[in-house]
């Protein structure tokens, strides 16, 4: 079987496991948790595209995740309010709906903003940063500072963003009760389908000519520039695509979990996504998805028993992976597969047939 057919067969097997086996075997609570992990896997997929394929270590993916999440949450709060002020604004003493909120009363505007706002923010940031040839650790620190500043802004504007509590208590999601088991099951299927579609799109992008150019920029940006290409444009487009994926993940996270708050968007959550991508394998898109699901499941399991020590364990795991297995779990699998292939006995050569002498007529 060719590698491409093997990849599609594995994708179909995982799809069968996620869309058929998991809903039939998992209880409602665990299925909701898996839906949450799949939302985070979409954001991790964007990191895998930007960092693994483009060499852009982004430590502020929570910013774009939050922009998409707040865009969806703002519409839901306005819809629940029925033309009045959302509940948290009333508690905060706001007397008139802020102008920033008014466009989000339209569901079409809110859904478009889920992707458009993060992409626009990434394009502006990329145009300013990549043109100045900021890269490596400097770019990582810049995105981390952006995440910290974003959280400070959200917390400080209580009447506009809900402050520390964020936006929660949603009672209607496009005509459905968000807390109903049927709605949660539907959201699970929607999230899994969106993740699969975005994975195939990202995979196609990586296999395209643009994807090969992106990898070339990662491995030798100066050489690509000397060949006549503009690495800043390539990196900005990839960074914007990654931000759009994070925005979609945030928008799906709101109805799945029922809340969006600054605690979910800061430096630590962004770092956790990067650790998950590194553990799964940053050079493979499937590794980013696998790492996000496995690491978040481990976080849930370990934090229930060892709440104070999970971050230390996660940090130690990240150091070990980056030191001993920089290609993550997918890289270890590929090494084991190649080792087994080398140990297989080579097929015996076919003996040549003896040549028969031609008898002259």
């Amino acid at each position: 079987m060719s590698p491409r057919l093997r990849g599609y067969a594995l994708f179909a097997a995982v799809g069968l496991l996620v869309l058929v086996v998991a809903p039939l075997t998992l209880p409602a609570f665990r299925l909701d948790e898996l839906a949450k992990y799949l939302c985070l896997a979409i954001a991790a997929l964007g990191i895998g595209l930007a960092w693994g394929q483009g060499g852009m270590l982004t430590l502020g993916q929570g910013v774009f995740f939050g922009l998409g999440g707040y865009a969806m949450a703002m519409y839901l709060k306005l819809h629940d309010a029925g033309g009045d002020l959302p509940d948290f604004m009333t508690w905060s003493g706001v007397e008139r709906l802020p102008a920033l909120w008014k466009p989000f009363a339209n569901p079409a505007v809110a859904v478009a903003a889920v992707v458009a706002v993060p992409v626009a923010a990434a394009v502006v940031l990329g145009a300013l940063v990549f043109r100045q040839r900021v890269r490596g650790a400097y770019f990582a620190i810049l995105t981390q500072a952006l995440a910290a500043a974003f959280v400070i802004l959200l917390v400080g504007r209580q009447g506009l963003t809900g402050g520390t509590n964020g936006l929660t208590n949603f009672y209607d999601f496009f005509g459905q009760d968000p807390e109903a088991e049927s709605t949660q099951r539907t959201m699970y299927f929607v999230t899994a389908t969106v993740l699969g579609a975005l994975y195939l799109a990202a995979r196609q992008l990586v296999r395209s000519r643009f994807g090969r150019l992106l990898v070339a920029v990662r491995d030798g940006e100066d050489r690509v520039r000397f060949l006549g290409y503009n690495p800043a444009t390539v990196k900005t487009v990839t960074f914007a695509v990654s931000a759009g994926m994070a925005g979609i993940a945030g928008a799906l996270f709101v109805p799945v979990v029922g809340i969006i708050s600054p605690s979910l968007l800061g430096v630590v959550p962004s770092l956790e996504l990067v650790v998950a991508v590194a553990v799964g394998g940053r050079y493979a898109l499937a590794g980013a998805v696998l790492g996000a699901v496995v690491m978040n499941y481990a976080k849930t399991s370990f934090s229930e028993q060892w709440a104070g020590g999970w971050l230390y364990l996660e940090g130690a795991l990240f150091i070990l992976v980056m030191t001993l297995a920089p290609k993550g779990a997918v890289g270890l699998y590929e090494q084991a597969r190649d080792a087994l292939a080398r140990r297989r006995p080579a097929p015996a050569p076919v003996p040549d047939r003896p040549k028969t002498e031609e008898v002259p007529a």
Side-chain angles (χ1 to χ4, degrees), residues 209-228:
R209 181 179 179 182
F210 180 86
R212 293 193 293 271
L213 181 60
L214 177 63
V215 174
V217 170
R218 179 196 69 189
D219 296 338
E221 183 173 335
D222 293 332
R223 292 184 179 182
V224 172
R225 184 178 293 107
F226 294 150
L227 290 174

Side-chain angles (χ1 to χ4, degrees), residues 24 65 77 82 131 154 184 213 217 230 250 265 296 310 332 348:
L24 292 177
F65 185 89
K77 294 299 291 185
R131 289 179 182 272
L154 293 175
Q184 289 295 314
L213 181 60
V217 170
N230 188 354
L265 318 174
N296 281 282
W310 164 247
L332 292 176

Side-chain angles (χ1 to χ4, degrees), residues 5 14 19 32-33 93 121 126 128 139 151 155 181 206 232-233 239 274-275 281 291 322:
L5 291 178
V14 173
L19 294 176
D32 293 345
E33 284 190 333
L128 295 175
F139 175 75
V151 170
V155 173
E181 183 177 342
V206 170
T233 301
F239 189 49
V274 173
V275 172
M322 295 303 295

Side-chain angles (χ1 to χ4, degrees), residues 16-361:
L16 181 66
L17 179 67
V18 172
L19 294 176
V20 178
V21 177
L24 292 177
T25 57
L26 293 179
F29 175 73
R30 295 301 178 186
L31 194 66
D32 293 345
E33 284 190 333
L34 181 56
K36 172 186 173 182
Y37 304 155
L38 295 182
C39 290
L40 297 174
I42 295 175
L45 179 64
I47 295 178
L49 184 64
W51 182 30
Q53 306 299 320
M56 296 170 282
L57 177 55
T58 169
L59 301 180
Q61 201 75 349
V63 174
F64 309 117
F65 185 89
L67 290 174
Y70 270 89
M72 178 58 68
M74 288 165 70
Y75 163 72
L76 296 178
K77 294 299 291 185
L78 290 174
H79 181 71
D80 290 341
D84 297 330
L85 289 177
D87 48 11
F88 75 93
M89 288 187 182
T90 304
W91 304 334
S92 302
V94 178
E95 299 180 354
R96 182 179 300 176
L97 185 68
L100 178 64
W101 276 69
K102 292 181 179 179
F104 292 92
N106 189 323
V109 173
V111 172
V114 163
V115 178
V117 174
V119 167
V123 168
V124 172
L125 180 63
L128 295 175
V129 172
F130 296 133
R131 289 179 182 272
Q132 301 300 323
R133 301 186 183 181
V134 177
R135 54 187 174 181
Y138 300 101
F139 175 75
I141 294 173
L142 178 63
T143 56
Q144 187 179 46
L146 181 64
F150 184 60
V151 170
I152 294 173
L153 176 65
L154 293 175
V155 173
R157 301 303 300 271
Q158 172 74 35
L160 187 66
T161 64
T164 306
N165 297 326
L167 303 181
T168 185
N169 296 330
F170 308 113
Y171 303 106
D172 185 274
F173 180 71
F174 295 96
Q176 304 294 324
D177 181 7
E179 297 184 358
E181 183 177 342
S182 59
T183 305
Q184 289 295 314
R185 183 172 288 268
T186 301
M187 286 306 306
Y188 170 81
F189 285 110
V190 170
T191 304
T193 302
V194 171
L195 173 59
L198 290 178
Y199 172 79
L200 291 177
R203 191 168 182 265
Q204 184 64 30
L205 179 65
V206 170
R207 291 176 174 270
S208 67
R209 181 179 179 182
F210 180 86
R212 293 193 293 271
L213 181 60
L214 177 63
V215 174
V217 170
R218 179 196 69 189
D219 296 338
E221 183 173 335
D222 293 332
R223 292 184 179 182
V224 172
R225 184 178 293 107
F226 294 150
L227 290 174
Y229 295 98
N230 188 354
T233 301
V234 177
K235 295 169 76 172
T236 300
V237 171
T238 306
F239 189 49
V241 173
S242 172
M245 291 182 178
I248 295 173
L252 292 171
F253 187 88
V254 170
V256 168
V257 181
I259 187 175
I260 188 75
S261 68
S263 63
L264 301 169
L265 318 174
V267 174
V268 173
S270 299
L271 286 174
E272 288 180 342
L273 284 174
V274 173
V275 172
V277 173
V279 171
R282 63 187 174 106
Y283 294 111
L285 297 177
V289 175
L290 174 65
V293 174
V294 172
M295 287 297 292
N296 281 282
Y297 172 76
K299 176 183 177 181
T300 301
S301 301
F302 282 105
S303 60
E304 291 175 355
Q305 305 174 0
W306 194 28
W310 164 247
L311 289 179
Y312 298 102
L313 178 62
E314 189 175 36
L317 182 61
F318 178 68
I319 294 173
L320 287 175
V321 168
M322 295 303 295
T323 304
L324 303 178
K327 292 186 178 181
V330 173
L332 292 176
Y333 164 76
E334 293 176 348
Q335 292 177 6
R337 183 190 62 191
D338 295 341
L340 289 176
R342 288 193 297 268
R343 295 180 63 178
R344 291 174 182 172
V350 178
D352 296 333
R353 295 182 179 179
K355 296 182 179 179
T356 56
E357 296 183 359
E358 295 183 359
V359 178

